Amino acid sequence: MNILIIGGAGYIGSHVTSEFLDNGNKCTVFDNLSSGLRENLFPEAKFIHGDIHDYQALLEAMKSNGGHDAIIHLAAFKAAGESMLIPQKYSRNNIAGTINILNAACETGIKNIVFSSSAAVYGEPQYLPIDEKHPTQPENFYGFTKLEIERFLDWYDKLKNIRYASLRYFNAAGYDVKGKIKGLEQNPANLIPIIMETACGIRKEMQIFGDDYDTPDGTCIRDYIHVSDLSSGHAMALDYITKKDKSIIVNLGSETGSSVKEVLDIARKETGKPIPCNITSRRPGDPAKLTASASLAFELLGWKAKHSDMETLIKTSWNVYSKI
Ligand code: UDP
């Protein structure tokens, strides 16, 4: 297939591009390089330096390279904390930018879209593991933007015959198991890259945001999912929606929970570095525990996490961070 990957130079986007290329697809990457990196681009994929706010550029990109069969849309801001302080930035990019993509897809006749959604659409868990039937009450503005786009997608499915897969990612982490992708995320806000930056000396120390949660060691538990697993989920989801002509919303998670202290212990062991840390106060909006049920992804797509054990997540990350 001929695939347009919007946000394909980013951390997750570059892994997804690698997956589609490896599966024999023709790929175009469209990215404004605001957080994506040139070093994440593959020579086999055509690159268009463009912005999702530029409707003409989107139309041209969609029509280029012989036209596209599908769009993978990963171009979004993702810092939940920042979204509560600067909601305008998230409205403009994650909502208005995505509406541009949907409208340009309608105009150019592209019928298949895979959308990067998030477990942030659920908000405070009412039960665990979280399945797709769990109520959606986002606790942060970022999660609201993702949920809002799922609603748009649902309407565009009904009104314009767009078929979509909305993939609700849990905590994306790790690096390419094949070792091809080496671009470091700039100013990361997530736990594993912060641990890696501390291990390799970019940061002197890191903070654990609270150790008084109702969990066995007092630190928060999350479901970490390897980007290579996420990437195969995109390919399988696209296959499903094109073959079945049906839209889907599915969780992508490992179904395993790791606490902040457990992640840190494994990182110390795998890197051999002390990784100094302080315990600080809780970060607002952090639930004690979040784990996914990914049984729907297995049932519909045959997808299951294969590389998401904590050792592999840390080893593949350290493989990149240890070389800087
Ligand atoms: N966390 C932490 N220190 C950090 C970054 C994150 O203790 O410097 C904790 C955070 O409170 C949460 C977990 O690590 O319990 C995962 O946070 P992250 O920001 O990676 O993902 P989120 O759960 O917010 O999607």
Side-chain angles (χ1 to χ4, degrees):
M1 288 177 101
N2 203 355
I3 321 270
L4 177 64
I5 303 166
I6 302 179
Y11 165 59
I12 299 175
S14 56
H15 286 84
V16 169
T17 305
S18 172
E19 172 81 19
F20 279 105
L21 286 171
D22 286 353
N23 294 348
N25 298 286
K26 197 164 130 190
C27 296
T28 307
V29 167
F30 182 94
D31 201 299
N32 69 0
L33 299 178
S34 62
S35 60
L37 302 166
R38 278 193 189 275
E39 65 177 303
N40 281 344
L41 298 172
F42 293 90
E44 309 93 287
K46 180 184 157 78
F47 173 58
I48 298 173
H49 188 184
D51 196 290
I52 56 175
H53 300 297
D54 183 345
Y55 189 71
Q56 283 309 317
L58 276 176
L59 285 181
E60 279 164 32
M62 289 181 189
K63 288 190 244 165
S64 74
N65 218 6
H68 292 87
D69 306 299
I71 295 167
I72 316 294
H73 171 33
L74 310 107
F77 293 126
K78 60 165 188 170
E82 185 191 55
S83 77
M84 299 297 275
L85 301 171
I86 326 173
Q88 316 89 294
K89 179 174 166 182
Y90 285 73
S91 304
R92 184 173 138 75
N93 195 69
N94 296 12
I95 298 181
T98 303
I99 293 171
N100 260 346
I101 294 172
L102 292 179
N103 290 347
C106 292
E107 197 168 331
T108 55
I110 303 177
K111 295 287 185 201
N112 302 295
I113 298 186
V114 180
F115 173 62
S116 302
S117 187
S118 167
V121 299
Y122 295 117
E124 182 68 28
Q126 294 179 13
Y127 59 83
L128 291 170
I130 295 184
D131 59 19
E132 293 79 357
K133 294 196 183 83
H134 187 283
T136 46
Q137 284 160 358
E139 289 269 309
N140 53 58
F141 194 76
Y142 163 72
F144 164 78
T145 66
K146 294 290 176 183
L147 188 59
E148 210 58 8
I149 293 304
E150 288 192 355
R151 294 187 172 133
F152 273 92
L153 285 166
D154 202 44
W155 277 106
Y156 276 65
D157 171 300
K158 288 191 204 109
L159 304 176
K160 301 298 295 178
N161 289 321
I162 296 257
R163 297 294 172 256
Y164 71 88
S166 184
L167 305 180
R168 292 177 174 169
Y169 307 163
F170 280 67
N171 290 55
Y175 268 80
D176 175 24
V177 287
K178 295 174 185 160
K180 285 194 279 188
I181 297 163
K182 298 188 171 62
L184 295 183
E185 278 192 278
Q186 308 301 302
N187 307 313
N190 295 114
L191 180 66
I192 293 183
I194 286 176
I195 289 178
M196 289 293 122
E197 288 195 352
T198 316
C200 71
I202 297 174
R203 293 169 192 252
K204 280 206 184 72
E205 57 184 20
M206 56 163 295
Q207 274 86 46
I208 293 181
F209 299 143
D211 68 348
D212 57 351
Y213 285 94
D214 184 17
T215 60
D217 66 18
T219 63
C220 290
I221 292 175
R222 294 288 178 275
D223 181 314
Y224 296 90
I225 175 81
H226 197 286
V227 269
S228 296
D229 285 331
L230 280 185
S231 301
S232 66
H234 287 70
M236 291 161 111
L238 179 59
D239 198 50
Y240 181 94
I241 62 168
T242 51
K243 290 203 174 120
K244 304 264 181 195
D245 191 24
K246 224 168 142 180
S247 296
I248 49 168
I249 297 178
V250 292
N251 287 344
L252 294 181
S254 66
E255 302 191 313
T256 312
S258 303
S259 74
V260 176
K261 281 187 180 163
E262 283 168 345
V263 178
L264 197 53
D265 283 347
I266 294 175
R268 286 179 174 141
K269 194 165 128 255
E270 294 294 338
T271 64
K273 303 286 180 187
I275 317 182
C277 76
N278 290 318
I279 312 282
T280 58
S281 50
R282 292 181 176 199
R283 189 172 66 175
D286 263 347
K289 195 169 172 193
L290 269 183
T291 51
S293 160
S295 55
L296 188 63
F298 184 66
E299 196 184 302
L300 298 180
L301 314 176
W303 178 90
K304 221 175 169 30
K306 290 186 183 145
H307 307 289
S308 298
D309 57 286
M310 193 47 68
E311 279 77 15
T312 305
L313 289 163
I314 297 291
K315 264 187 195 150
T316 54
S317 302
W318 186 236
N319 193 26
V320 174
Y321 279 87
S322 60
K323 297 201 175 76
I324 61 163

